[in-house]
């Protein structure tokens, strides 16, 4: 006897093609906001939020406010307390901008000095010291600047100091990226 076996193999191949479409949507950059804060005295601070509410009119709108034990300032309904504490305080501490104020308990000014640095300064540091003594000595990268009103800060800083009778009176500082 002869036995015969037949095996049949069926192969099915399925091919699937997937098409992927990528769409890129570009949105415009958000507008840049100029924000400001102000500090004066021992210290009184008009915060970024308050300045946003009152703008450049803050100074003409502030009123002296006294309660039972202390005198403060008021800006509209907002109280700006006298919070004198000697020490070094961050005035601005962001990823790119760093500003510190140094307060002391002597002299006619409580603000002793201010220092500015951070990545936006391209590795430079600016400090104005001995403000309370009426000196307002300027340092750039740790070196004293003899005449800051005519010093070339390499386009990083534009600085103007006002003096009265030789004593430091005020300063206006404009820095890179619109920081002032």
């Amino acid at each position: 006897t002869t036995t015969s076996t037949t095996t049949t193999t069926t192969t099915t191949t399925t091919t699937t093609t997937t098409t992927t479409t990528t769409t890129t949507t570009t949105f415009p950059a958000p507008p840049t906001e100029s924000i400001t804060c102000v500090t004066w005295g021992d210290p009184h601070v008009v915060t970024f939020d308050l300045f946003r509410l009152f703008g450049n009119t803050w100074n003409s709108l502030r009123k002296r406010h006294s309660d039972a034990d202390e005198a403060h300032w008021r800006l509209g309904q907002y109280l700006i307390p006298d919070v004198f504490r000697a020490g070094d305080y961050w005035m601005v501490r962001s990823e790119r901008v760093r500003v510190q104020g140094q307060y002391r308990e002597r002299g006619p000014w409580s603000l002793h000095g201010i220092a500015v640095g951070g990545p936006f300064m391209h590795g430079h540091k600016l400090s104005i010291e001995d403000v309370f003594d009426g000196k307002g000595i300027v340092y750039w990268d740790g070196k004293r600047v003899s005449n800051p009103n005519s010093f070339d800060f390499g386009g990083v800083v534009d600085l103007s100091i006002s003096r009265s009778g030789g004593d430091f009176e005020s300063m206006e500082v404009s820095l890179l990226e619109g920081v002032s």
Side-chain angles (χ1 to χ4, degrees):
T1 54
T2 304
T3 305
S4 170
T5 305
T6 305
T7 304
T8 305
T9 303
T10 305
T11 304
T12 305
T13 303
T14 304
T15 304
T16 304
T17 304
T18 305
T19 304
T20 303
T21 304
T22 303
T23 303
T24 303
T25 305
T26 305
F27 294 99
T32 302
E33 178 185 18
S34 175
I35 60 174
T36 301
C37 72
V38 178
T39 183
W40 82 96
D42 58 1
H44 311 285
V45 178
V46 177
T47 64
F48 291 105
D49 292 335
L50 282 178
F51 197 91
R52 184 179 285 137
L53 286 173
F54 293 96
N56 288 325
T57 63
W58 73 271
N59 196 28
S60 63
L61 297 174
R62 71 184 170 129
K63 305 279 186 235
R64 200 63 167 151
H65 171 79
S66 295
D67 58 23
D69 296 320
E70 298 183 35
H72 303 289
W73 290 94
R74 188 167 285 288
L75 190 53
Q77 67 185 26
Y78 302 97
L79 184 69
I80 301 172
D82 289 341
V83 289
F84 182 73
R85 302 281 188 275
D88 298 338
Y89 296 95
W90 285 107
M91 300 169 87
V92 177
R93 189 175 184 184
S94 73
E95 185 178 313
R96 298 200 41 77
V97 179
R98 295 185 185 99
V99 180
Q100 281 189 308
Q102 185 178 68
Y103 292 89
R104 296 291 176 253
E105 294 184 29
R106 66 174 222 223
W109 295 58
S110 297
L111 180 64
H112 170 77
I114 189 166
V116 182
F120 86 105
M121 291 281 287
H122 301 286
H124 297 288
K125 291 180 184 163
L126 171 70
S127 66
I128 298 98
E129 300 177 14
D130 294 329
V131 173
F132 68 85
D133 285 333
K135 295 176 184 173
I137 300 170
V138 176
Y139 293 87
W140 180 247
D141 293 334
K143 296 178 184 165
R144 187 172 177 165
V145 175
S146 59
N147 188 356
N149 286 336
S150 65
F151 185 76
D152 179 11
F153 292 96
V156 177
V157 175
D158 182 22
L159 179 119
S160 174
I161 291 183
S162 298
R163 297 188 183 276
S164 176
D167 287 342
F168 175 85
E169 189 172 78
S170 67
M171 67 182 154
E172 186 169 323
V173 181
S174 295
L175 303 162
L176 290 174
E177 299 181 23
V179 175
S180 62

